[in-house]
Amino acid sequence: MAKAITLVESTHPDHRALAETVLADLPRPGTPSLRLGLSGTPGVGKSTFVEAMGLRMCAGGARLAVLAVDPSSARSGGSILGDKTRMEPLPRHPNAYIRPTPSARHLGGVARRTREVIRLVEAAGFDTVIVETVGVGQSETMVAEMTDIFLLLLAPGGGDELQGVKRGIMEIADLILINKADGALAAVAQRTAADYAGALRLMRRRQTDPDGVPKALTLSSAEGHGLAEVEAELHALAAWRREAGVFAATRQRQVLAWLDAEIGIALDALMSADTGFGTTRETFVDAGMSGEMTPPQAARALIQRLRTP
Ligand code: GDP
């Protein structure tokens, strides 16, 4: 599996062709998987949470794959689940597979790689997949677009904290987890959770979810309090959505989004292929930017050029 992942991550054209053959021939997973997205700013406790929750899930019989996405990366290869975690128990658990992020690429490339890696680990029998991302840029949206349930990990803080969180991410979060609810921060964490719960009720978006979703819960990944409740909440929401057909509909929509993204990537590749078209494309873009053509005119002219090379 590690070899197959390395293959799909490769940008070499020969590898790409082989990767696509491998992906096309993958068996369909027997049991339905649960795909979890996880986001939070650096230092909020993502690694600690994954370690603690991952061990719980594995102890309960799950086969867990943890993948990291870090497209913004000023960090270099393999740091999000860095060296530290390799010394901890989860990576050594027989039911767990942890794949750190490869070096940074542009978002489209990262999205494709991650979707393909999800397919690989599921075909290999991993029934639970956590896709972890640092809370920056558009990576959360991208991860939400490839998972069933999206978790946002936050640190305890006052009401002001609420203002600081981007509205967009609140809208995609299915479960807000206030981590570090221990020691001196325990009381603050409770207040933060109550503030978020209130805010979430106001902006709740999915009519298809049960009442009270999305919830805001407190936990301490370091000490372990609240993990059982979070896990129970996750499974309850997953069961509900599966039963209501929401997972199936979401995944259909995600496949469509993936298809659209791939069409975009393929068109981009075609337009910037080394055939002299790249410069022509620039010409149309310039024309659109300068006002010489309207953007729709420039786009149509560009497509026309593509049809009659
Ligand atoms: P990440 O950057 O989001 O992956 O955060 P880490 O998991 O590396 O945690 C950052 C720091 O917060 C580390 O020093 C952790 O020990 C600490 N930390 C993580 N979870 C908790 C928690 O539940 N309680 C407390 N008090 N500290 C925590």
Side-chain angles (χ1 to χ4, degrees), residues 41-48 84 132 179-180 182 219-222:
T41 48
V44 73
K46 291 180 300 300
S47 310
T48 313
K84 176 170 70 79
E132 177 187 332
N179 192 36
K180 307 195 183 183
D182 49 48
L219 80 160
S220 166
S221 301

Side-chain angles (χ1 to χ4, degrees), residues 36-296:
L36 302 172
L38 172 68
S39 178
T41 48
V44 73
K46 291 180 300 300
S47 310
T48 313
F49 172 76
V50 167
E51 176 72 24
M53 183 57 82
L55 280 175
R56 275 193 77 85
M57 290 175 153
C58 288
R63 292 197 66 209
L64 173 71
V66 182
L67 315 175
V69 164
D70 191 7
S72 68
S73 203
R75 312 180 185 209
S76 59
S79 60
I80 187 170
L81 300 159
D83 292 335
K84 176 170 70 79
T85 49
R86 287 191 202 112
M87 288 176 273
E88 287 167 1
L90 183 63
R92 295 198 311 261
H93 196 287
N95 286 11
Y97 177 77
I98 300 201
R99 182 78 183 181
T101 182
S103 54
R105 305 243 191 89
H106 78 95
L107 205 60
V110 173
R112 172 198 275 169
R113 171 193 74 87
T114 309
R115 286 185 173 111
E116 291 178 347
V117 174
I118 290 174
R119 295 211 48 208
L120 287 171
V121 297
E122 288 179 356
F126 289 90
D127 52 31
T128 309
V129 182
I130 296 180
V131 186
E132 177 187 332
T133 185
V134 174
V136 284
Q138 295 182 313
S139 63
E140 296 104 347
T141 319
M142 184 188 98
V143 169
E145 263 306 314
M146 53 180 78
T147 50
D148 304 312
I149 293 180
F150 190 81
L151 311 176
L152 176 61
L153 209 58
L154 295 172
D160 302 348
E161 183 84 354
L162 244 175
Q163 310 302 325
V165 173
K166 289 169 285 172
R167 194 185 161 88
I169 193 170
M170 292 274 285
E171 281 167 351
I172 58 176
D174 295 307
L175 194 54
I176 289 197
L177 303 176
I178 315 295
N179 192 36
K180 307 195 183 183
D182 49 48
L185 290 175
V188 185
Q190 295 304 333
R191 269 203 307 282
T192 310
D195 288 348
Y196 277 99
L200 287 168
R201 267 194 293 280
L202 292 176
M203 55 199 286
R204 175 159 170 238
R205 71 215 184 288
R206 291 203 203 198
Q207 298 308 318
T208 44
D209 275 333
D211 277 349
V213 170
K215 288 187 182 170
L217 303 177
T218 59
L219 80 160
S220 166
S221 301
E223 295 184 3
H225 326 302
L227 283 173
E229 288 78 1
V230 170
E231 191 185 13
E233 196 57 52
L234 274 178
H235 288 306
L237 183 58
W240 206 97
R241 286 187 174 175
R242 205 169 268 143
E243 184 69 19
V246 177
F247 272 3
T250 305
R251 287 195 181 182
Q252 279 292 302
R253 196 171 41 69
Q254 292 176 349
V255 169
L256 190 63
W258 183 1
L259 196 72
D260 280 343
E262 288 292 334
I263 291 172
I265 292 172
L267 276 176
D268 271 349
L270 195 61
M271 290 192 291
S272 48
D274 195 16
T275 57
F277 194 83
T279 46
T280 318
R281 183 192 188 194
E282 292 311 311
T283 313
F284 289 113
V285 170
D286 288 347
M289 296 289 284
S290 68
E292 190 187 316
M293 289 182 180
T294 66

